[in-house]
Amino acid sequence: MLKDPSTKYKRYTPIDLPDRTWPSKTIDKPPIWLSTDLRDGNQALPNPMTVEQKTRFFRLLVQVGFKEIEVSYPTSSDTDFRFVRNLIEKNEIPDDVWIQVLTPAREDIIRRTIGAVAGAKHVIIQMYNATCPCFRDVVFRNTRKKRLIWQLSIRNCFEN
């Protein structure tokens, strides 16, 4: 494998269109690739991967050279939560690798997600909020009043 795969390809030749700005822009450095392979929806698979299988897969992604790896939705299953904790507790994450996790914007789930990644050096927490009223009401069990309270209390979640 090439030490720096970005050297394999020639630089894009810009197109000169004086009346437009974007065609003449060039990328000065290679993009950061994020692997999402480990967020497999463990809660929905008939035969989900085990912690050991996920760990082997994580090691392979690191070996390939990924520097950002979405490792799981840690509150979706005990397996995903244990997998993230094992990566951290067994020092499986290299210093130059960022892990990413997914969480819905619900305080109890955010707190558990933060518990899953506690101790990791570099973490991206991808938080989503439902826009569909049915999803907000059924999955998040939110009323308008609860959403307003949540907006105020979410700050406390990250400060404490």
Side-chain angles (χ1 to χ4, degrees):
M1 183 169 154
L2 290 174
K3 189 167 188 98
D4 181 6
S6 68
T7 62
K8 182 176 179 179
Y9 303 100
K10 292 182 195 173
R11 179 177 281 234
Y12 166 76
T13 305
I15 300 171
D16 185 29
L17 296 173
D19 60 329
R20 316 260 319 261
T21 57
W22 66 265
S24 60
K25 294 190 187 275
T26 60
I27 296 172
D28 296 334
K29 58 185 179 179
I32 297 172
W33 296 98
L34 166 70
S35 167
T36 60
D37 301 290
L38 283 167
R39 190 174 60 83
D40 61 357
N42 236 8
Q43 71 280 7
L45 294 175
N47 296 310
M49 286 192 283
T50 64
V51 171
E52 294 75 22
Q53 289 170 318
K54 285 176 166 277
T55 302
R56 280 198 322 264
F57 200 161
F58 178 82
R59 288 175 184 152
L60 181 61
L61 292 170
V62 168
Q63 184 181 355
V64 166
F66 280 99
K67 299 300 179 191
E68 291 188 10
I69 302 171
E70 186 172 1
V71 292
S72 83
Y73 182 153
T75 60
S76 66
S77 69
D78 287 337
T79 300
D80 278 359
F81 187 90
R82 282 193 334 270
F83 167 60
V84 175
R85 291 304 316 147
N86 280 349
L87 288 178
I88 296 163
E89 291 168 4
K90 295 182 179 180
N91 295 316
E92 292 278 352
I93 307 166
D95 289 342
D96 62 342
V97 172
W98 287 68
I99 61 167
Q100 178 173 307
V101 294
L102 179 67
T103 185
R106 200 171 93 192
E107 186 174 351
D108 59 325
I109 299 176
I110 293 168
R111 287 188 184 280
R112 180 136 168 90
T113 299
I114 291 171
V117 299
K121 287 186 180 181
H122 304 292
V123 180
I124 299 165
I125 298 177
Q126 178 186 349
M127 186 172 14
Y128 68 90
N129 194 5
T131 56
C132 168
C134 181
F135 196 85
R136 279 194 316 254
D137 298 341
V138 175
V139 177
F140 286 172
R141 299 184 297 275
N142 274 342
T143 62
R144 178 165 171 71
K145 183 179 177 183
K146 273 186 170 180
R147 285 193 302 276
L148 294 173
I149 292 169
W150 173 82
Q151 289 171 348
L152 296 173
S153 68
I154 192 66
R155 292 182 195 125
N156 292 334
C157 185
F158 289 101
E159 291 171 2
N160 295 329

